[in-house]
Structure formats: structure tokens, C-alpha cells
Amino acid sequence: MDLDAFTAVHSDDWKRLDELAARRRLSGPEADELLRLYQRASTHLSIVRSVAPEGTLSAALSMRLSRARTRFTGSRSNFMEDLANFFVFSLPAAFYRVRWLTVAIGAAFVLVAWLTGFWAVNTPGVLAAVGSDEELRRYVEEDFVNYYSENPAASFSGMVWTNNAWIAVQAVAFGITGLWVPWILYQNAVSVGLSAGMMAAHGRLDVFFTYILPHGFMELTAIFIASAAGLRIFWAFVAPGRRSRMTSVAQEGRSLMTVALGLVVVLFISGLVEGFVTPSPLPAWLRLTIGFGVFAAYWAYTLILGGRAYRAGHRGDLSARDAGAYLRTA
């Protein structure tokens, strides 16, 4: 095929396509014409690609079609609009969906931690198996408190943030296994319970709560939220309902990975509290008040804004377009 002759025959159509695509407003007949020319140019591109797929004419036609497609499908929303929609609709709705499971997981975690602490304090030999008397004394009187202040506050906050965010993302991503979430929750609950048991056995349980709660209110809740999201994905695989198993997991996975992204922000705030508030010389009541205030702000965000977004139909999933519900042409 002679590409020069082909270009000469169809160049008027292509120029008209460019002209219509560049206009800010189109009448009804002009919009119909734009669509017809777009379809015609798509056919031309297919013909050209069959002869010279890497040629300049093929590239030029692709660019023309891309501009025209943007004209009649609409441009993407800007970044600030997407960001606002994420924090006002998608994220709170995703948090709202897992609220009851979050509470249930939190209650189970506290129960296991309490039972572990009670067992450690009241069962002879348990604390001795953890360490010698000198090691336990050093942990209770020095190491537990020094952990929060042995590094500069800024670097400590960053370390805590990245570590906890990574745990949260893993809980969501690996939740589909059904085993990862219960295992990490159990490990952490036993660890917290043993720590509390050691402090209680030496009469320093008040120090334990003074240092663990200011950041722990929100930090542990964030882990419970991530765990709830992971288990929801697992349940979508086990009981997909009327959806296919693949569709069910895909929808839940997209919706609840929103939780993982949101928890990066939540855990950043929690990390700031752990780095700057927990080890600070502020009175214990003020540190606890700040920690509880962050915790209360999260639940207000989830229950008020999240409930409103959920009732409006938001679930934290991608838009239909981004999720692939639309068939793209050309």
C-alpha cells in the first residue's frame, strides 16, 4: 500500500478530527461527527499498522485518536480532587465497613494479652523462663522506659511508622491466607501480655500503662483495622455469594487495600505520638489524654464521615472506570 497516497486521500478527515477535538464546545451534530471520524480514523490506524506498525504515520494517527478520545470521554479528575474524594468518601467508607470486626479483633487481642499476663504473674517458673532476675529487673526498671527515648524522637517516630505500616500492609495483603492475621495477632498479644506481666510482678504496672497507652490506643487499633481488612478478603474468597470467587476477591481486595493506604497516614500520626509524646516529660494524664484524643478522632472520622459515605453508596473501591468496567476502544 502506498502510504503517501493513503494519507492524501484521508488527510481531510484527520484534520477535521483534530479541529473538532480541539474545540471547547460541540453541538449535537458536531459531537456525532467527532465520533464518526474517530471510528473512521481507528480503522485507518488498523490498516496502517498492518503495513508499517512502527512508522511515523502510525504514531501520528495514534496521537490524533488519543486526543479525540480524551475529548469525548472526558479528562481525568485532577490530583487534588482525587485526594479529597479519597479522604472524604473512599477511606472513611472502607474503615466503616470493618468497624465491627475491628472491635471484635481488639476485644480478642485484649483478652489474650490479659490471660497471658495473668498466667505469667500467677504461674511459678514462667517469668524465670523469660530471663534471670537481673535481666527482668533491668527490663522493668530501665529498658522498658528507655526504649522510647534512647533514639532521637524524629528518627524513632520514623522507624516506628515504617515498621507498623509494613505490618499493616502485610495484614491486608496476606489476609487471604486466613492464617497470617491470627498468627501475628496472637504473637503480638502474647508479647504485650508478657511485658505487662513482668511489669506487674515488680509493682510497675502503672508505668506500663503510662508508656504503652498514649500511642497504643491508636497504634494497636490500626493493626486491628488492618487485620479486619485482611480477614474480610479471606472471607470473600471462602464465601463469595452470588459473585464469582475471582470477582469477589478482586472487589474486596481493591476496597480494603484502601484501608492499608489510609493506615499509612494513621500510623504516621501514631508514630509521632510514640516518638514525641510517650517519652516526653508531660504529666501522665496529659500524655494519656493526647493518645485517647487521637483514638477518639479516628472513631469520629469513621463513624460520622464513614457512615455518611457508606450510606451514600461508597465502599472504598475504585471507580467503575478505574476498576475496568468500561471497554476502551482503539
Side-chain angles (χ1 to χ4, degrees):
M1 184 178 72
D2 188 336
L3 292 180
D4 290 335
F6 187 83
T7 301
V9 170
H10 299 292
S11 61
D12 288 342
D13 285 343
W14 301 341
K15 290 177 182 177
R16 178 60 175 168
L17 179 65
D18 288 343
E19 179 187 340
L20 292 174
R23 291 186 182 180
R24 294 188 62 185
R25 295 179 181 273
L26 294 174
S27 65
E30 286 174 337
D32 292 339
E33 184 184 5
L34 173 65
L35 184 57
R36 286 196 302 271
L37 290 172
Y38 174 83
Q39 293 170 333
R40 192 177 303 167
S42 297
T43 302
H44 296 162
L45 178 60
S46 298
I47 295 171
V48 171
R49 281 179 172 171
S50 67
V51 176
E54 302 299 330
T56 56
L57 180 58
S58 176
L61 274 175
S62 295
M63 289 296 295
R64 278 192 165 97
L65 288 168
S66 177
R67 288 194 296 268
R69 182 166 58 246
T70 299
R71 184 67 182 85
F72 62 73
T73 60
S75 60
R76 296 305 311 272
S77 58
N78 62 54
F79 172 75
M80 295 307 297
E81 182 181 344
D82 289 339
L83 193 65
N85 285 333
F86 178 80
F87 283 106
V88 175
F89 300 111
S90 298
L91 181 59
F95 282 158
Y96 187 82
R97 291 184 62 209
V98 297
R99 65 197 186 283
W100 291 119
L101 189 53
T102 298
V103 172
I105 289 172
F109 183 96
V110 171
L111 178 62
V112 171
W114 185 86
L115 290 175
T116 301
F118 183 83
W119 170 69
V121 172
N122 293 281
T123 304
V126 172
L127 293 181
V130 175
S132 65
D133 289 343
E134 177 59 26
E135 289 172 333
L136 293 177
R137 185 201 63 77
R138 185 169 59 250
Y139 174 80
V140 169
E141 295 182 2
E142 300 175 16
D143 294 348
F144 180 80
V145 173
N146 290 343
Y147 166 76
Y148 297 99
S149 56
E150 60 187 2
N151 294 303
S155 61
F156 180 64
S157 294
M159 179 186 68
V160 169
W161 173 41
T162 53
N163 178 67
N164 288 332
W166 176 235
I167 293 174
V169 170
Q170 288 182 82
V172 178
F174 299 147
I176 193 171
T177 64
L179 300 174
W180 179 264
V181 167
W183 174 242
I184 62 171
L185 286 172
Y186 176 77
Q187 282 188 312
N188 280 277
V190 169
S191 177
V192 170
L194 279 176
S195 181
M198 286 187 282
M199 298 295 285
H202 290 80
R204 292 176 64 86
L205 191 59
D206 58 331
V207 176
F208 173 81
F209 285 120
T210 298
Y211 277 83
I212 205 75
L213 288 182
H215 63 275
F217 278 125
M218 195 62 251
E219 182 178 275
L220 289 175
T221 300
I223 301 302
F224 302 155
I225 297 163
S227 299
L231 291 178
R232 281 290 297 263
I233 296 173
F234 168 69
W235 191 247
F237 177 79
V238 172
R242 295 184 178 181
R243 301 172 292 182
S244 70
R245 186 165 276 107
M246 182 175 293
T247 300
S248 176
V249 171
Q251 290 176 345
E252 291 295 327
R254 289 194 305 266
S255 297
L256 296 171
M257 280 306 290
T258 300
V259 170
L261 294 175
L263 287 179
V264 171
V265 178
V266 172
L267 286 167
F268 174 72
I269 298 172
S270 175
L272 291 178
V273 174
E274 186 166 0
F276 290 93
V277 176
T278 297
S280 73
L282 294 172
W285 67 267
L286 183 55
R287 283 181 279 163
L288 291 170
T289 300
I290 293 172
F292 185 78
V294 173
F295 173 76
Y298 163 78
W299 280 108
Y301 174 76
T302 296
L303 296 179
I304 298 173
L305 207 58
R308 187 180 303 160
Y310 185 87
R311 289 188 291 273
H314 296 277
R315 297 296 182 269
D317 197 357
L318 298 174
S319 66
R321 174 176 178 170
D322 289 335
Y326 292 97
L327 178 63
R328 298 181 184 276
T329 60

